[in-house]
Amino acid sequence: MSFAVIQTGGKQYKVKAGEIIKVEKLLDSKPETKVEFNEVLAYGDDKTIELGEPIISGAKVEADLIKNSKNRTILIFKKRRRKNSRRKNGHRQQFSLIRINKIFSKDGKLISEAEKVKQEIKKEVKESAK
């Protein structure tokens, strides 16, 4: 099973083709668009692995942006005892949900690709329902 380690939003993610992951919000991107990650730190499979120093130039990972959304609210409550001082604040971190489609090596060769069977089946079901 092929994998890649990508860097986005200041974090590193180990991804496989067909996987759906939650990353920091991608700027200037709308749902159902293609996203390309060029900061690939490593890629490989069960037998071999290619490591970058720090990134592998030419390697890339293609993904589809499913949606942009916000996480659950995190409450921040601060209280200073005996001073009648308290502060309550909330925060909702934004994220992007992406589906990894293809992983390319440094010479542009396709390493791994996600299955497209599910999308085709959904289209057939919609057409037969009409």
Side-chain angles (χ1 to χ4, degrees):
M1 191 59 150
S2 298
F3 69 91
V5 179
I6 62 170
Q7 182 173 344
T8 179
K11 297 179 178 70
Q12 298 175 3
Y13 301 92
K14 181 179 178 184
V15 297
K16 296 177 183 172
E19 195 173 42
I20 296 175
I21 60 171
K22 190 190 291 190
V23 299
E24 293 292 318
K25 185 175 182 205
L26 301 170
L27 300 176
D28 302 328
S29 54
K30 297 180 180 171
E32 298 180 17
T33 58
K34 299 263 185 223
V35 182
E36 198 171 279
F37 299 101
N38 294 321
E39 291 188 18
V40 178
L41 304 174
Y43 64 82
D45 55 10
D46 298 334
K47 298 173 186 163
T48 61
I49 186 166
E50 179 88 23
L51 296 174
E53 297 173 2
I55 64 170
I56 302 171
S57 59
K60 66 180 179 178
V61 174
E62 287 184 359
D64 284 332
L65 180 65
I66 299 172
K67 71 174 184 173
N68 291 320
S69 187
K70 290 183 179 182
N71 279 330
R72 293 177 50 206
T73 303
I74 297 173
L75 293 178
I76 299 104
F77 184 76
K78 296 183 178 179
K79 181 176 190 248
R80 294 173 194 90
R81 59 189 185 144
R82 297 186 297 274
K83 304 216 179 340
N84 196 21
S85 170
R86 58 185 82 170
R87 187 172 77 190
K88 184 178 180 182
N89 195 357
H91 176 74
R92 293 185 71 188
Q93 185 69 32
Q94 296 182 337
F95 70 89
S96 295
L97 206 62
I98 61 170
R99 181 175 189 267
I100 306 299
N101 287 335
K102 298 177 185 174
I103 301 173
F104 292 96
S105 66
K106 63 183 176 185
D107 52 323
K109 194 172 80 173
L110 182 67
I111 295 175
S112 182
E113 186 173 11
E115 297 178 11
K116 295 184 181 179
V117 177
K118 295 177 186 175
Q119 294 174 353
E120 294 172 3
I121 291 173
K122 288 180 184 177
K123 289 179 184 177
E124 292 175 10
V125 170
K126 288 181 183 178
E127 291 173 1
S128 63
K130 290 181 181 178

